């Protein structure tokens, strides 16, 4: 944990907490209350939308639920104001968890569809509240609710409550940013399907982020209800809150925990400056222009750009020292069945990609899987790794049936894979890409240990010097080898190599063949999917050929290659003549 960050929080709490002792006019405390309130809303939105990439337009709904929870309990039932705040957090958090438990299970509801759905939820909630006794139409008055004497004046009390909540929210955002949860959310942001296959429990992590985000917004709403003393559906459930939090987060920088706070402070101050001068419309126009300029010229936001400039002046910290992982532990004797696929069928909208495939993978072997394009090879890899659920059949891995389990359970059981077209996390460095499988795969290491082992695997594949680079800065050969490093970093017992040699030069292929042998020598079993028949014959112990989703041959590689059906469907007579 960064001691400077801790010291910064303590200093901010002491200095800002002492501000009411200066007995400034109530205006300044009220203005700062608004700043801190927007900091809470923007930062809490960012915990879900900035970290995981699930762009939400429904933050105003959760803020509004917090407002009405306090309004009803304090205004109608006479609860003490502070007693209502825990429920102001719980109600929107539970609502968010319930919504997420449904929405997050539907892969199609991502991106703009998720944003539109959350916006629609805002108006649904508003309609329900307006047409029930919760509001009923005239609104809820809270002017008679006693304000606790936390500060020397009511304005000071609201200021201190907003300050405390802002510090708590920023601390939560920082802790998540630095934690395993944060690493998983950033992976989800870049490629959710790959994150799941590498061991990240994506549903659980999204729900956790959504619940925390909604709960913090609800507490801000509960405080704000008494601050404004009169709430109506029209003023609470509108588009202003979601639009403002998006603007603030993007302006400040949504990839960093402190970015939204910078954006919230800047926009709140700018809007007030224009409003005080009777130029409110011009202020909103100015915010829009600034946002466009930031998106075009500073896509990382104001704070992200600031951090980039600081990095140019500062000396980079040393990379982690490479630490060799333990040899992959075997849970049985070499030659025993490690994985058995029984009667695997997989159909896509009537197209039968796999039709009753049976195969066995034995401990310590390199098993080849070949066939013409569209024969079902990659589909088989996707089924074994858990990315696809088979239409029928079983996947037995070390005695456990994985067919019905989510993909992250397969990764944690000891299965890793590469992709035919490399799919690294684009906004994570090479080192971070290789670290993540160690944190979530079979070993489930701490970040520090995972980083050291990741450096070892980057050295193993020749990418140690590119550890700080982004994947977009790598060529195809390097991205392919990064795929290998990621697969190995999870300490797998079974590695699925999907056309890892495609697109490589002859010398690069020779290097890759050497690496594949070394992977097997370290204790892993390998399924090798490849079109390069020289490499297939050189590496594999057994070979299976698929065509139209069916097994047409299986056995010793050179014998399989001479099968007439294999020659006809895949190799061609020219290959046999050679």
């Amino acid at each position: 944990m960064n001691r400077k960050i801790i010291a910064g929080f303590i200093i901010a709490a002491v200095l800002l907490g002492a501000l009411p002792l200066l007995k400034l006019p109530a205006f300044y405390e009220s203005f700062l209350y608004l700043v801190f309130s927007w900091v809470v809303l923007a930062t809490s939105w960012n915990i879900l939308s900035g970290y995981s990439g699930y762009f939400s337009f429904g933050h105003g709904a959760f803020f509004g639920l917090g407002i009405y929870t306090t309004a009803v309990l304090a205004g109608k039932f006479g609860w003490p104001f502070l007693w209502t705040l825990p429920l102001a957090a719980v109600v929107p958090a539970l609502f968010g968890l319930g919504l997420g438990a449904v929405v997050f299970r539907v892969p199609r509801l991502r991106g703009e569809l998720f944003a539109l759905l959350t916006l629609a939820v805002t108006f649904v909630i508003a309609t329900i509240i307006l047409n029930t006794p919760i509001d009923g139409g005239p609104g809820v008055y809270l002017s008679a609710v006693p304000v606790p004497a936390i500060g020397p004046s009511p304005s000071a009390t609201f200021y201190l409550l907003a300050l405390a909540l802002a510090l708590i929210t920023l601390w939560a955002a920082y802790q998540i940013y630095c934690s395993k949860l944060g690493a998983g959310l950033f992976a989800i942001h870049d490629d959710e399907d790959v994150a799941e296959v590498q061991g990240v429990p994506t549903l659980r992590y999204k729900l956790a982020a959504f619940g925390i985000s909604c709960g913090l917004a609800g507490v801000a709403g509960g405080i704000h209800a008494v601050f404004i003393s009169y709430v109506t559906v029209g003023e609470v459930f509108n588009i202003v809150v979601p639009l403002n939090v998006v603007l603030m987060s993007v302006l400040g920088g949504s990839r960093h925990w402190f970015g939204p706070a910078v954006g919230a402070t800047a926009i709140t101050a700018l809007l007030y400056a224009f409003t005080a001068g009777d130029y409110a419309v011009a202020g909103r126009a100015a915010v829009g222009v600034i946002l466009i300029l930031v998106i075009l010229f500073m896509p990382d936001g104001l704070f992200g750009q600031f951090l980039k400039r600081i990095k140019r002046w500062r000396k980079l910290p040393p990379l982690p020292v490479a630490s060799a992982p333990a040899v992959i532990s075997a849970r049985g004797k070499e030659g025993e069945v490690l994985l058995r696929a029984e009667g695997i069928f997989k159909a896509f909208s009537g197209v039968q990609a796999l039709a009753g495939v049976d195969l066995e993978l034995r401990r310590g072997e390199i098993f080849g899987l070949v066939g013409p394009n569209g024969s079902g090879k990659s589909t088989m890899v996707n089924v074994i790794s858990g990315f696809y659920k088979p239409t029928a059949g079983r996947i037995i891995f070390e005695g456990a049936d994985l067919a019905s389990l989510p993909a992250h359970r397969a990764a944690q059981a000891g299965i890793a894979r590469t992709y035919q077209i490399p799919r690294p996390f684009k906004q994570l460095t090479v080192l971070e890409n290789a670290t993540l499988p160690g944190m979530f795969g079979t070993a489930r290491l701490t970040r520090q240990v995972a980083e050291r082992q990741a450096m070892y695997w980057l050295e193993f594949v020749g990418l140690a010097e590119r550890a700080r680079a982004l994947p977009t800065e790598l060529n195809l050969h390097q991205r392919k080898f990064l795929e290998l490093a990621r697969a190995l970093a999870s300490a797998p017992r079974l590695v699925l190599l999907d056309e890892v040699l495609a697109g490589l030069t002859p010398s690069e292929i020779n290097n890759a063949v050497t690496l594949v042998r070394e992977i097997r020598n370290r204790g892993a079993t390998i399924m090798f999917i490849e079109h390069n028949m020289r490499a297939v014959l050189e590496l594999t112990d057994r070979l299976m050929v698929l065509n139209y989703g069916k097994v047409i041959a299986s056995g010793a590689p050179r014998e399989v290659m001479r099968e007439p059906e294999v020659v006809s469907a895949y190799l061609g007579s020219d290959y046999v003549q050679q």
Side-chain angles (χ1 to χ4, degrees):
M1 191 175 294
N2 194 319
R3 293 181 180 180
K4 292 181 179 179
I5 298 294
I6 297 174
F9 271 95
I10 294 173
I11 292 170
V14 172
L15 294 180
L16 294 173
L19 189 66
L21 299 178
L22 300 178
K23 297 183 179 180
L24 298 173
F27 160 78
Y28 294 103
E29 292 171 337
S30 297
F31 172 73
L32 290 173
Y33 161 81
L34 292 174
V35 170
F36 292 139
S37 183
W38 282 115
V39 166
V40 172
L41 290 172
T43 304
S44 60
W45 177 88
N46 201 58
I47 289 173
L48 173 72
S49 300
Y51 288 4
S52 75
Y54 271 78
F55 204 86
S56 170
F57 272 128
H59 213 54
F62 311 116
F63 178 64
L65 283 173
I67 287 177
Y68 268 93
T69 298
T70 290
V72 170
L73 293 177
K76 293 188 174 184
F77 294 102
W79 282 35
F81 164 46
L82 295 180
W83 289 17
T84 69
L85 295 184
L87 281 177
V90 169
V91 170
L94 289 177
F95 183 85
L97 289 172
L99 178 64
V102 176
V103 172
F104 289 149
R105 295 178 187 274
V106 184
R108 288 172 294 188
L109 292 178
R110 299 178 185 174
E112 62 275 7
L113 290 179
F114 180 78
L116 292 173
L117 179 66
T118 53
L119 180 61
V121 165
T122 303
F123 298 116
V124 170
I125 294 174
T127 302
I128 293 172
I129 290 177
L130 182 63
N131 293 281
T132 60
I134 296 174
D135 184 297
V140 182
Y141 290 90
L142 294 103
S143 53
V145 174
V147 177
I150 297 174
S153 65
S155 61
T157 294
F158 287 114
Y159 164 80
L160 291 172
L161 287 172
L163 170 62
L165 183 59
L167 290 173
I168 290 170
T169 303
L170 287 170
W171 183 254
Y174 168 67
Q175 290 293 327
I176 293 171
Y177 181 86
C178 299
S179 70
K180 190 174 180 178
L181 172 59
L185 291 173
F186 283 120
I188 291 169
H189 183 286
D190 285 358
D191 194 326
E192 183 174 345
D193 294 334
V194 175
E196 176 74 25
V197 168
Q198 291 197 348
V200 178
T202 55
L203 176 61
R204 191 162 74 240
Y205 275 30
K206 289 182 294 184
L207 285 174
F210 204 13
I212 294 169
S213 174
C214 296
L216 291 169
V219 178
I223 297 171
H224 196 65
V226 179
F227 177 79
I228 58 178
S229 73
Y230 174 60
V231 298
T232 64
V233 169
E235 289 295 323
V236 171
F237 296 98
N238 56 46
I239 199 66
V240 172
V241 170
L243 281 182
N244 277 350
V245 296
V246 172
L247 291 174
M248 291 167 179
S249 297
V250 173
L251 180 64
S254 60
R255 291 286 294 188
H256 195 275
W257 65 272
F258 196 65
V262 173
T265 303
I267 288 181
T268 305
L270 184 64
L271 289 177
Y272 170 74
F274 278 93
T275 303
D278 295 328
Y279 297 105
V281 176
R284 295 196 175 278
V287 169
V289 170
I290 291 171
L291 181 66
I292 292 171
L293 293 175
V294 168
I295 291 173
L296 291 176
F297 301 106
M298 292 188 293
D300 295 322
L302 295 174
F303 193 69
Q305 193 69 20
F306 171 73
L307 290 177
K308 279 186 176 181
R309 295 200 172 189
I310 286 183
K311 286 181 180 179
R312 294 174 189 170
W313 303 333
R314 288 183 176 179
K315 184 179 179 180
L316 291 173
L319 290 168
V321 177
S323 174
V327 176
I328 296 170
S329 60
R331 296 183 178 177
K333 296 180 180 179
E334 186 170 333
E336 289 182 349
V337 175
L338 175 68
L339 179 141
R340 179 183 291 109
E342 301 175 348
I344 300 299
F345 286 82
K346 181 60 183 177
F348 299 95
S349 301
V351 177
Q352 197 71 46
L354 295 173
V357 175
D358 295 307
L359 65 81
E360 288 184 352
L361 299 179
R362 299 168 187 166
R363 294 184 190 276
E365 75 171 343
I366 299 179
F367 179 88
L369 184 65
V370 300
N373 290 330
S375 60
K377 303 184 301 297
S378 293
T379 302
M380 194 67 198
V381 171
N382 286 327
V383 169
I384 292 174
S385 64
F387 180 63
Y388 290 157
K389 297 290 172 272
T391 308
R394 299 198 304 162
I395 302 290
I396 309 299
F397 181 73
E398 294 191 323
D401 188 355
L402 303 180
S404 62
L405 299 179
H408 74 267
R409 294 283 297 276
Q412 292 169 1
I415 299 176
R417 64 162 298 178
T418 65
Y419 287 88
Q420 182 178 343
I421 299 174
R423 293 174 64 175
F425 301 115
K426 295 180 180 179
Q427 297 189 63
L428 301 184
T429 65
V430 169
L431 176 59
E432 289 168 338
N433 267 277
T435 299
L436 189 127
M439 297 170 63
F440 292 95
T442 310
R444 279 170 272 187
L445 308 169
T446 64
R447 184 190 292 268
Q448 291 75 18
V449 175
E451 284 180 344
R452 293 197 293 270
Q453 292 194 9
M455 280 302 301
Y456 174 85
W457 292 118
L458 291 177
E459 289 179 355
F460 177 73
V461 300
L463 288 178
E465 294 182 356
R466 307 290 286 161
R468 289 194 175 97
L470 292 173
T472 52
E473 301 169 24
L474 305 180
N475 59 34
L476 176 61
H477 158 248
Q478 292 170 327
R479 291 198 299 275
K480 289 274 189 178
F481 278 23
L482 175 58
E483 287 280 314
L484 270 177
R486 291 201 305 180
L488 298 174
S490 66
R493 281 180 280 278
L494 172 61
V495 182
L496 312 174
L497 301 181
D498 191 0
E499 297 192 28
V500 73
L501 306 183
L504 302 185
T505 65
S507 62
E508 292 168 348
I509 288 175
N510 290 335
N511 292 337
V513 167
T514 302
L515 290 178
V516 172
R517 282 202 186 97
E518 183 62 26
I519 293 168
R520 192 257 296 273
N521 293 339
R522 290 172 179 270
T525 302
I526 298 172
M527 175 187 275
F528 189 63
I529 298 93
E530 188 52 60
H531 286 296
N532 187 309
M533 299 314 298
R534 178 182 69 82
V536 170
L537 290 174
E538 191 174 336
L539 287 171
T540 58
D541 302 304
R542 293 187 302 128
L543 185 63
M544 176 181 286
V545 184
L546 293 180
N547 190 34
Y548 294 110
K550 296 181 179 179
V551 178
I552 60 172
S554 180
R558 296 191 182 277
E559 294 177 4
V560 168
M561 291 298 186
R562 290 194 291 266
E563 291 281 343
E565 191 173 359
V566 174
V567 174
S568 173
Y570 180 45
L571 297 176
S573 57
D574 290 342
Y575 178 85
V576 176
Q577 292 173 3
Q578 292 174 6

